[in-house]
Amino acid sequence: MERRQKLPPEETNETVEQNRQRLVEIYRQEGADINVLRSLELSMAECGRAITEYFRAKPTNRNVKDVLSNCEDNEMALRVVQLLMAHFGEDLTGIVLLTN
């Protein structure tokens, strides 16, 4: 048995369907073609160096200093993630698994 929820007074089944179709169209135009990995790479190329330099100039805690001294060979994306997590006191092992 399908249970229907009451619509707000300003909405009808027709307006809800129109909004749904509009959202589908927006997704088709803007959301479906976004390559997340490529977007991350471009963002890192654009902002990663600035983030790294900011923390070099103003290291906020000992963990940030440790990351800076040990991450020169790391990819920019990993370095930025490590710096931000160190800055906010988060444990890197919660989201990143480092292997040889």
Side-chain angles (χ1 to χ4, degrees):
M1 182 166 124
E2 186 178 324
R3 194 172 169 197
R4 293 185 177 232
Q5 295 203 358
K6 269 187 148 179
L7 295 173
E10 67 276 5
E11 295 287 347
T12 66
N13 286 335
E14 185 177 304
T15 61
V16 169
E17 179 59 21
Q18 288 171 351
N19 288 334
R20 186 192 70 76
Q21 288 175 5
R22 194 176 86 223
L23 290 172
V24 167
E25 187 59 32
I26 290 170
Y27 177 76
R28 274 194 204 122
Q29 291 175 1
E30 299 178 23
D33 294 331
I34 295 174
N35 182 327
V36 174
L37 181 58
R38 183 68 182 138
S39 295
L40 177 63
E41 289 171 349
L42 291 171
S43 295
M44 286 302 146
E46 183 178 330
C47 303
R49 187 173 298 118
I51 292 170
T52 302
E53 291 307 314
Y54 172 82
F55 283 115
R56 273 199 184 104
K58 299 177 183 180
T60 54
N61 60 45
R62 180 72 188 142
N63 292 337
V64 169
K65 290 177 184 178
D66 290 344
V67 169
L68 288 169
S69 65
N70 296 321
C71 74
E72 287 302 317
D73 295 331
N74 292 351
E75 291 287 326
M76 182 65 74
L78 177 58
R79 183 182 315 150
V80 169
V81 169
Q82 287 175 310
L83 286 169
L84 292 173
M85 291 189 73
H87 170 72
F88 289 109
E90 296 293 330
D91 182 21
L92 183 65
T93 59
I95 64 165
V96 176
L97 176 62
L98 299 173
T99 63
N100 290 338

